[in-house]
Amino acid sequence: MSEKIVIITGATDGIGKVAAREILKKGYSVALVARSKEKLNQVNTELAPFAVKNSISLYQADLSSLKETKKVAEKIKKDFPKIHVLLNNAGAFFSERSVTQEGLESTFALNHLNYFIFADTLIPSLHASGEGRIVNVASGAHFGVSLDFDNLQGETKYSGWKQYQRSKLMNVYFTYELDERLKEKSITVNCLHPGFVKTKFGHNNVGIAKSLLQFAQNLFAIGEDKGARTSVFLATSDEVKNVTGQYFEKSKVKKSSKQSYDLAARKELWKRSEQIAKTILK
């Protein structure tokens, strides 16, 4: 199993780090992508005891930047001509609207376009493995919202929580559309709800938004080990090696929201994502 490589984004905290540990324990090699070099080195030290014959590779990039995302994905593709799993896990919640250096709303850039660019760049390596898997961490938060294409990046009316919900709906749309586009390739694409997990998620915020999230996590959240289980299952289990285009919760297929099956919205999101990516990456 040591020749099998799993790429994990957002792997220095929370369920990303736990997933990396559990995947290493199963004998896979991992390549971890995160923004902080210091945290990458720290998690490398923490996970080293679980890497026996397999390896840990580290890649630093700000995944809210499309250019950095593309650059690091190209480096990974060069380093690994064959990739078995891409686990798109990186994401964040921004209570106040912020804009990246490339002029994109931060939630939209990090939670959605990061997945879009990583997958697109690594498809050749995933296909070359003959059994590639793309696993997108979405969320049950996508229930109850739809996309407003006149306000896709919260340009005229911004709610941090609503924008987060919509970004998770985008993850589901992206999964279903990418699955449709990869029908002729040996790559499966699935997404999941990890549960409401007690992590450092949302700690980048300040004030009442951070306090309320921490309070809710203390009361209702599950542990990181439980939160990572479905990600690990989709990345490694033989039970799902031929399953694709599905939404999972607790390692079981579940119907996603009614809005997530809106084909027109799904196609429009792909078109706009593609246009934005081409404009910034030209």
Side-chain angles (χ1 to χ4, degrees):
M1 193 82 79
S2 60
E3 79 282 3
K4 290 192 174 184
I5 181 73
V6 179
I7 314 299
I8 309 174
T9 67
T12 55
D13 286 306
I15 62 174
K17 182 169 74 171
V18 172
R21 183 193 72 205
E22 295 305 306
I23 288 168
L24 279 168
K25 286 163 68 175
K26 290 179 179 292
Y28 292 81
S29 294
V30 298
L32 312 180
V33 188
R35 182 176 58 183
S36 168
K37 183 177 181 180
E38 181 182 354
K39 284 188 175 183
L40 279 167
N41 290 332
Q42 181 181 338
V43 79
N44 185 46
T45 301
E46 289 180 37
L47 297 181
F50 302 101
V52 183
K53 295 182 179 179
N54 41 350
S55 64
I56 303 172
S57 303
L58 308 177
Y59 295 87
Q60 180 186 10
D62 177 0
L63 298 182
S64 67
S65 163
L66 274 60
K67 289 180 179 177
E68 283 198 40
T69 299
K70 181 66 174 178
K71 182 178 179 180
V72 75
E74 289 286 0
K75 177 69 166 64
I76 291 169
K77 183 172 73 171
K78 182 179 178 181
D79 291 347
F80 301 104
K82 293 183 179 181
I83 291 171
H84 292 79
V85 183
L86 167 62
L87 174 52
N88 279 318
N89 172 77
F93 161 66
F94 300 90
S95 60
E96 301 294 330
R97 190 176 191 272
S98 62
V99 177
T100 69
Q101 291 184 343
E102 294 163 344
L104 301 173
E105 189 274 318
S106 297
T107 316
F108 178 71
L110 177 60
N111 293 12
H112 168 59
L113 289 177
N114 150 49
Y115 285 23
F116 187 90
I117 291 171
F118 243 106
D120 179 67
T121 306
L122 296 184
I123 281 170
S125 291
L126 287 158
H127 180 58
S129 75
E131 51 182 321
R133 303 184 188 189
I134 297 173
V135 180
N136 298 319
V137 178
S139 170
H142 83 277
F143 280 83
V145 294
S146 58
L147 298 187
D148 178 357
F149 287 101
D150 292 326
N151 191 40
L152 192 61
Q153 298 187 54
E155 299 94 335
T156 58
K157 185 179 180 181
Y158 184 83
S159 160
W161 178 243
K162 287 292 184 185
Q163 191 68 2
Y164 175 77
Q165 286 185 283
R166 292 182 180 115
S167 74
K168 296 292 105 179
L169 176 58
M170 293 177 200
N171 294 159
V172 182
Y173 278 141
F174 170 63
T175 298
Y176 293 166
E177 181 64 19
L178 185 59
D179 172 61
E180 185 67 29
R181 290 169 179 262
L182 293 179
K183 288 298 186 186
E184 302 304 315
K185 295 186 180 292
S186 54
I187 302 172
T188 63
V189 191
N190 293 293
C191 60
L192 67 112
H193 169 50
F196 182 43
V197 188
K198 187 175 183 180
T199 66
K200 293 181 181 178
F201 174 79
H203 291 197
N204 54 295
N205 298 284
V206 295
I208 192 169
K210 180 178 180 179
S211 298
L212 286 173
L213 187 55
Q214 288 178 324
F215 178 73
Q217 286 177 331
N218 288 333
L219 281 181
F220 307 113
I222 62 175
E224 293 174 350
D225 282 30
K226 284 187 177 180
R229 284 178 185 171
T230 305
S231 294
V232 175
F233 174 77
L234 288 175
T236 64
S237 175
D238 284 342
E239 290 181 41
V240 289
K241 65 180 180 181
N242 296 316
V243 178
T244 188
Q246 301 295 330
Y247 173 78
F248 281 77
E249 181 179 347
K250 295 181 179 178
S251 301
K252 302 291 184 184
V253 173
K254 181 182 177 182
K255 287 200 70 174
S256 51
S257 72
K258 181 180 178 180
Q259 289 294 335
S260 71
Y261 298 102
D262 184 335
L263 182 60
R266 189 181 95 191
K267 297 289 186 185
E268 182 65 19
L269 176 64
W270 184 280
K271 183 179 78 172
R272 296 209 183 189
S273 301
E274 200 169 46
Q275 289 172 343
I276 291 168
K278 284 181 178 179
T279 298
I280 291 177
L281 298 175
K282 65 182 179 181

